Structure formats: C-alpha cells, structure tokens
Amino acid sequence: MAETNPVIHEGVDAFAVALAEALGSISSSLDIYSHNLPREIFGTSLVVNSLRSWIINQPRAKVRVFVHNAHSAMFRGNGLIELGLQLTSFFQFHEPAKAMPMLFEHAIIDNKILVRRSTSNPQQVETWSGVDQNIPVAQREFENYWTHSKPSLNIRNLNL
C-alpha cells in the first residue's frame, strides 16, 4: 500500500473540525481511541450534532469508543458520553482491562479514513484517507486494544 499525504488541520479545534468533516462521509462505523474524551473535541456541538445526524439516518450505525481514562472523561462532562447514553444501541464504551500504553488520539471512519493527532505537534491533526498504509495499522492497533479491554461500567451506569 502506498502512503499518501494527509490533510492537515491546525489549531485548538483542529481535531473537532477534522472529525466533523470526516463524519460527513461515514456510512457504517466509527472507532474512537481517546485518553479521556476531551470536551474540546467530543463535547462540541459540531461533533455531537454530526454524530447524532448520522445515527438517526443510519439504522446500522456502530460507534465504538475506547477511552483510556473513563473516570476522568465522565467527570469532565461530555456531549459524546451523553449522546452514547441516549442512543445505547449504537454505542459501546470500553476501557483498559489492564495497563496499556497510550496511543495518539484518533478516530477511524469505516476503516477508510483516519483522523489522528499529529505525532510531532499536538495542535495539528492529520486526516488520512484512501489506501494509505496508516489506516490499516491504526485499525489493527484499535482492534488489539478493543480485544484486550472491558466494557466501561463506569460510563454505562452513569445517570445523567
């Protein structure tokens, strides 16, 4: 597979903007890996409304969220968690079952688009698409983490 050049977004809202743009082409699945689901990304109306619109129009939508620190994510207030608790048949939240090294924040859309924080600049976000080799690598990493994780009872039992 060939490596292509990513689309670069910069700024404090770069991840939210890039994710919302990528969600415009989603058809069936979204996998999110996050340290603690920062509000600045996953609590924005841009991301939450894009997700809600997709889910309402796609009865087979599937969202898997791996959150490294679910406890922190819950107590910071988060629009993605609230949406997930409202639409439980579409969302799954997992957390590490054991100590696992942290990855860079990323989202994988339909195994075809990768939105990821830059490894060199946290204010920069890369969007990879097409046949780029970064996408299957990220998907394999996500699947490995998902396989070795457990459902987040903390999030599932949260009453909002």
Side-chain angles (χ1 to χ4, degrees):
M1 260 185 242
E3 186 169 322
T4 58
N5 292 323
V7 173
I8 303 293
H9 292 81
E10 294 194 38
V12 292
D13 63 345
F15 201 104
V17 169
L19 182 57
E21 284 178 10
L23 288 173
S25 62
I26 194 169
S27 62
S28 62
S29 68
L30 171 64
D31 293 332
I32 296 171
Y33 172 89
S34 180
H35 302 162
N36 61 1
L37 297 173
R39 257 189 313 234
E40 313 76 62
I41 299 170
F42 300 105
T44 65
S45 60
L46 181 63
V47 169
V48 172
N49 290 340
S50 295
L51 267 172
R52 183 186 316 275
S53 175
W54 165 60
I55 289 169
I56 288 169
N57 293 306
Q58 178 52 268
R60 294 187 184 147
K62 179 174 80 169
V63 181
R64 298 187 302 172
V65 181
F66 182 96
V67 59
H68 215 91
N69 187 342
H71 193 274
S72 173
M74 290 179 342
F75 292 104
R76 296 180 71 224
N78 191 291
L80 180 69
I81 292 174
E82 292 172 17
L83 182 62
L85 292 174
Q86 292 167 5
L87 303 169
T88 56
S89 60
F90 298 99
F91 280 81
Q92 295 177 49
F93 290 92
H94 275 213
E95 58 189 68
K98 58 182 173 144
M100 301 173 97
M102 285 203 195
L103 302 173
F104 289 95
E105 203 112 32
H106 65 274
I108 304 166
I109 293 96
D110 291 331
N111 299 326
K112 296 177 187 169
I113 300 171
L114 170 64
V115 178
R116 168 179 79 187
R117 265 202 211 284
S118 170
T119 56
S120 60
N121 178 354
Q123 294 293 316
Q124 198 174 64
V125 174
E126 306 163 341
T127 301
W128 302 86
S129 60
V131 293
D132 188 88
Q133 65 187 6
N134 288 289
I135 300 168
V137 169
Q139 189 65 51
R140 279 192 302 275
E141 283 180 336
F142 184 88
E143 292 300 335
N144 182 46
Y145 272 61
W146 193 261
T147 301
H148 296 96
S149 66
K150 62 183 180 181
S152 178
L153 298 179
N154 291 324
I155 291 176
R156 193 177 73 193
N157 294 333
L158 186 64
N159 292 317
L160 296 177

